[in-house]
Amino acid sequence: MASTYVNDLRLNELGTGDGSGTWGTTTNTNFELIAEGFGFGTEAITTNADTHSSVVADGSTDPVRNMYIKYTGALDSDCTITITPNTMSRVHFIENATTDSGSSGPYNIIISQGSGANITIPNGDTKVVYLDGAGSGAAVVDAFASLSTVDLKVQDDLTVTDDAAVGGALTVTGLITGNANLTLGGTTPTLTIGDAGAEDTKLVFDGNAQDFYVGLDDSADDLVIGKGSTVGTTPALSIDENLLVTVSDDVKVAGRSIGTITTDNDGSFDLAVSNDFKCTPSGNFTLTFTNGDAGQSGNIFLINSGGHTVSAHGDIAINATTLTALSTAGTYHLAYFCSVDSGTANTIAVSASGALT
């Protein structure tokens, strides 16, 4: 009976009565080839080949018998590599270490065994595949296409060319570079920058000619929007812990600028509440302003339909004739301006229109 090589390592299977005087040599060779099946081999592709055949030799050493196969050679296009025989069922680590001899590379290698599915390995990449050994319809399958692992440690770059789903916390101590959009989903999506440390945090918009940032100036406890990439440098708008908003330069409004109108009928206006007021007094009153801020100004729509007497607090600078006129029944427009933060004599200038009705 003749020897056969139908196993997945193409070892010599001696027939009954075969190998007289050479049985030991054949057996030792088989042992060596079994060890080779766990090793590393390199096979060169003919320069600029579009197809390549890797045949595992029967009963003798061969680089493609190795579990790890490194393909080398210079390519000017993608190359399809067919591993035969197509009845072998094997697992391989396959590395595309080819070089570029064309102008559009580097190039892929496509691993095939039969008419079934193939696996493409980009230049410089290594994939773990298995050959299903199904004969003429044999397929090559990406063994790690859906890899599940408890812990994965990457010592250098990690490149993800498709979706990445993280079910738990993702901790990154280095730089994250994204080349597409970032979407936060869920019922209450939250992006937190910082870990409660005493340090500035920021989001920088890296422009071609000019950078801008949105950041926390931690030493001042201010949220700052500014020009550049350093928090606190060239601020445009700041919001402090008391929600006081500071604009560092001119304000341009393309549409309407609408303030809040506060109704206050006792004639005493709290400027910490609003700038603009509507007042319909029910009796005599003293025109009074509290909590003014230097530079603050605003308006009062006064409806003195009852002709109630109007007097002025000592902080207010107002024309005496104008003040007297306000006691006449009618509707008036008052404008005010604060010259200092706290009220002292004649520090809040008030002007008034004549009776409008």
Side-chain angles (χ1 to χ4, degrees):
M1 181 181 293
S3 298
T4 59
Y5 302 88
V6 295
N7 53 80
D8 291 333
L9 288 176
R10 311 305 292 177
L11 305 178
N12 186 344
E13 298 182 14
L14 293 170
T16 303
D18 288 344
S20 177
T22 62
W23 185 91
T25 300
T26 299
T27 300
N28 289 339
T29 298
N30 282 344
F31 285 153
E32 292 171 1
L33 297 182
I34 291 172
E36 185 176 78
F38 291 98
F40 165 85
T42 299
E43 182 163 285
I45 301 171
T46 302
T47 299
N48 297 337
D50 295 333
T51 61
H52 177 81
S53 179
S54 289
V55 182
V56 180
D58 289 343
S60 61
T61 186
D62 189 284
V64 188
R65 180 178 286 103
N66 289 275
M67 179 177 289
Y68 194 110
I69 308 171
K70 179 178 182 178
Y71 282 102
T72 62
L75 301 179
D76 63 356
S77 63
D78 292 349
C79 181
T80 298
I81 300 171
T82 302
I83 300 177
T84 58
N86 57 24
T87 54
M88 292 188 309
S89 176
R90 297 288 310 279
V91 174
H92 284 293
F93 293 79
I94 300 181
E95 176 184 352
N96 180 357
T98 59
T99 57
D100 178 15
S101 69
S103 59
S104 302
Y107 299 98
N108 304 319
I109 58 174
I110 300 101
I111 308 301
S112 174
Q113 192 186 28
S115 62
N118 302 326
I119 291 297
T120 297
I121 304 177
N123 183 267
D125 285 2
T126 300
K127 286 196 175 186
V128 179
V129 303
Y130 66 82
L131 318 179
D132 69 5
S136 61
V140 182
V141 180
D142 188 337
F144 287 171
S146 182
L147 176 66
S148 177
T149 180
V150 176
D151 294 316
L152 178 64
K153 296 182 179 180
V154 179
Q155 301 299 325
D156 205 338
D157 298 338
L158 173 64
T159 301
V160 179
T161 57
D162 206 338
D163 298 337
V166 180
L170 176 64
T171 301
V172 180
T173 58
L175 176 67
I176 298 179
T177 301
N179 296 315
N181 297 327
L182 172 64
T183 301
L184 300 180
T187 54
T188 55
T190 302
L191 176 63
T192 300
I193 302 177
D195 55 2
E199 60 206 5
D200 292 348
T201 55
K202 60 188 174 182
L203 179 64
V204 176
F205 299 90
D206 188 2
N208 179 38
Q210 182 59 62
D211 299 343
F212 289 90
Y213 67 85
V214 178
L216 170 65
D217 185 342
D218 191 75
S219 60
D221 290 331
D222 287 352
L223 176 67
V224 184
I225 299 176
K227 185 169 69 173
S229 59
T230 302
V231 175
T233 300
T234 321
L237 184 147
S238 302
I239 304 174
D240 72 7
E241 66 274 17
N242 298 312
L243 301 184
L244 177 64
V245 178
T246 301
V247 179
S248 301
D249 209 328
D250 297 341
V251 177
K252 294 183 179 180
V253 180
R256 292 182 294 179
S257 177
I258 302 173
T260 300
I261 300 175
T262 301
T263 298
D264 192 330
N265 295 325
D266 64 2
S268 179
F269 305 106
D270 185 353
L271 300 187
V273 174
S274 182
N275 284 337
D276 300 321
F277 299 88
K278 181 179 180 181
C279 177
T280 306
S282 58
N284 299 337
F285 70 93
T286 298
L287 185 63
T288 305
F289 296 95
T290 60
N291 299 315
D293 202 354
Q296 184 175 358
S297 62
N299 303 276
I300 300 170
F301 188 71
L302 174 62
I303 305 173
N304 190 6
S305 56
H308 304 294
T309 300
V310 180
S311 57
H313 189 277
D315 297 349
I316 296 174
I318 186 171
N319 179 272
T321 302
T322 299
L323 180 61
T324 300
L326 291 177
S327 299
T328 302
T331 298
Y332 301 87
H333 171 223
L334 281 66
Y336 68 87
F337 175 81
C338 301
S339 62
V340 296
D341 288 349
S342 58
T344 56
N346 300 321
T347 56
I348 302 175
V350 176
S351 61
S353 69
L356 302 175
T357 60

